[in-house]
């Protein structure tokens, strides 16, 4: 019973961190919707920069959630195999069809132990956990792309402002409707510039980066547990 509780506590740490930050992300969005009328602007955004930004952000969050679940499953399996290795010995571990990175790691250790070879634990961990680290890095790249989209939105907004002001200047004194239309166009460009920069910075530079940090924390904790097990047992 005590072992089961320890496994659950270690596995739940990453989940708790992820869920807390997800709640923070929701609170940030609610604040922006209430204080800045964000959703109204996103619906009216003709450049679609904010739509692309939100789409990539949601994809990054879904990938982060999936990675977090996979790491938790691996951590639970690592703990169970670690207890079995302690009680029965590494060589007596029965892993017939390894489907998880942890199982492949223990199987490699078992084969090396049978041959009396010195295992390179760091190399084995790098190989088995590489897919998770690559996915975490890909999510981090999404954050950089969101920041870049924010800068692109700023440039697009400035271009729109200049186009609107040019239209207004050309219509000054002889076409009131065109003058007002140019001003509205310029104001829309200001909105694009402001909101694109805000979303790129908040979604990519802050929220998604912390999700990546939580994922990397879970991967590193898994690697440390595996390293400890391999050194002790």
């Amino acid at each position: 019973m005590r072992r089961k509780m320890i496994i659950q506590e270690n596995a739940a740490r990453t989940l708790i961190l992820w869920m807390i930050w997800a709640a923070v992300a929701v609170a940030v969005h609610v604040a922006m919707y209430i204080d800045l009328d964000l959703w109204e602007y996103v619906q009216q955004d003709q450049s679609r920069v904010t739509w692309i930004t939100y789409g990539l952000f949601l994809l990054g969050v879904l990938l982060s959630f999936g990675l977090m679940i996979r790491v938790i499953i691996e951590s639970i399996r690592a703990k169970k195999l670690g207890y079995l290795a302690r009680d029965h010995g590494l060589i007596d571990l029965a892993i017939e069809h390894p489907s998880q990175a942890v199982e492949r790691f223990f199987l490699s250790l078992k084969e090396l132990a049978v041959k009396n070879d010195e295992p390179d634990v760091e190399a084995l961990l790098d190989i088995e956990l590489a897919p998770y680290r690559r996915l975490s890095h890909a999510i981090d790249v999404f954050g950089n792309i969101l920041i870049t989209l924010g800068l692109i939105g700023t440039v697009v907004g400035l271009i729109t402002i200049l186009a609107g002001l040019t239209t207004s200047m050309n219509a000054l004194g002889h076409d009131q409707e065109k003058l007002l239309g140019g001003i509205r166009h310029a104001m829309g460009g200001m909105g694009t510039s402001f909101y694109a920069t805000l979303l790129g910075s908040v979604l990519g530079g802050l929220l998604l980066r912390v999700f990546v940090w939580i994922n990397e924390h879970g991967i590193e904790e898994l690697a440390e547990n595996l390293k400890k097990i391999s050194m002790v047992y």
Side-chain angles (χ1 to χ4, degrees):
M1 185 67 177
R2 176 62 180 166
R3 290 180 183 180
K4 186 176 180 181
M5 290 178 62
I6 293 173
I7 291 173
Q8 291 174 343
E9 288 172 5
N10 288 322
R13 189 179 298 118
T14 301
L15 176 61
I16 292 171
L17 286 173
W18 200 96
M19 295 305 294
I20 288 173
W21 190 246
V24 171
V26 171
V28 169
H29 278 81
V30 170
M32 288 195 295
Y33 288 151
I34 294 175
D35 298 336
L36 302 176
D37 294 327
L38 182 60
W39 181 241
E40 182 179 350
Y41 169 74
V42 170
Q43 290 178 310
Q44 297 174 358
D45 180 20
Q46 307 235 350
S47 69
R48 293 294 182 254
V49 173
T50 53
W51 287 90
I52 297 172
T53 301
Y54 260 113
L56 287 176
F57 173 73
L58 291 175
L59 178 58
V61 171
L62 288 175
L63 290 173
S64 174
F65 180 77
L67 177 58
M68 181 263 300
I69 294 298
R70 289 294 302 274
V71 170
I72 288 175
I73 293 172
E74 294 277 9
S75 297
I76 294 174
R77 186 61 175 155
K79 288 291 183 181
K80 290 180 178 179
L81 289 175
Y83 289 134
L84 289 175
R86 185 184 67 180
D87 295 340
H88 306 289
L90 186 61
I91 296 178
D92 292 330
L93 283 180
I95 305 175
E96 296 180 359
H97 304 289
S99 59
Q100 296 175 297
V102 167
E103 293 176 340
R104 293 191 295 270
F105 174 77
F106 275 98
L107 185 60
S108 298
L109 285 181
K110 177 181 176 180
E111 291 174 355
L112 290 171
V114 170
K115 297 176 182 178
N116 289 324
D117 289 337
E118 186 68 25
D120 190 342
V121 177
E122 293 287 349
L124 286 175
L125 285 174
D126 288 340
I127 292 171
E128 298 301 341
L129 298 182
Y132 298 137
R133 289 188 171 124
R134 283 197 296 268
L135 180 55
S136 179
H137 178 68
I139 300 170
D140 191 35
V141 171
F142 275 31
N144 295 331
I145 293 174
L146 293 181
I147 295 173
T148 303
L149 282 173
L151 297 176
I152 292 173
T154 301
V155 174
V156 170
L158 292 175
I159 293 172
T160 305
I161 292 171
L162 291 175
L165 291 177
T166 300
T167 301
S168 297
M169 292 297 292
N170 292 335
L172 188 62
H174 60 84
D175 192 338
Q176 190 73 14
E177 178 109 8
K178 200 171 181 183
L179 173 65
L180 293 175
I183 293 174
R184 282 194 295 269
H185 197 60
M187 294 298 293
M190 291 179 64
T192 299
S193 179
F194 172 74
Y195 282 109
T197 305
L198 177 66
L199 286 177
S201 300
V202 173
L203 300 185
L206 177 62
L207 297 180
L208 202 55
R209 286 284 171 83
V210 176
F211 281 124
V212 170
W213 175 83
I214 293 171
N215 289 138
E216 290 178 350
H217 170 78
I219 294 170
E220 290 305 317
E221 187 176 45
L222 173 60
E224 289 171 3
N225 289 335
L226 290 174
K227 192 181 301 182
K228 179 181 177 182
I229 292 170
S230 63
M231 291 174 65
V232 174
Y233 308 126

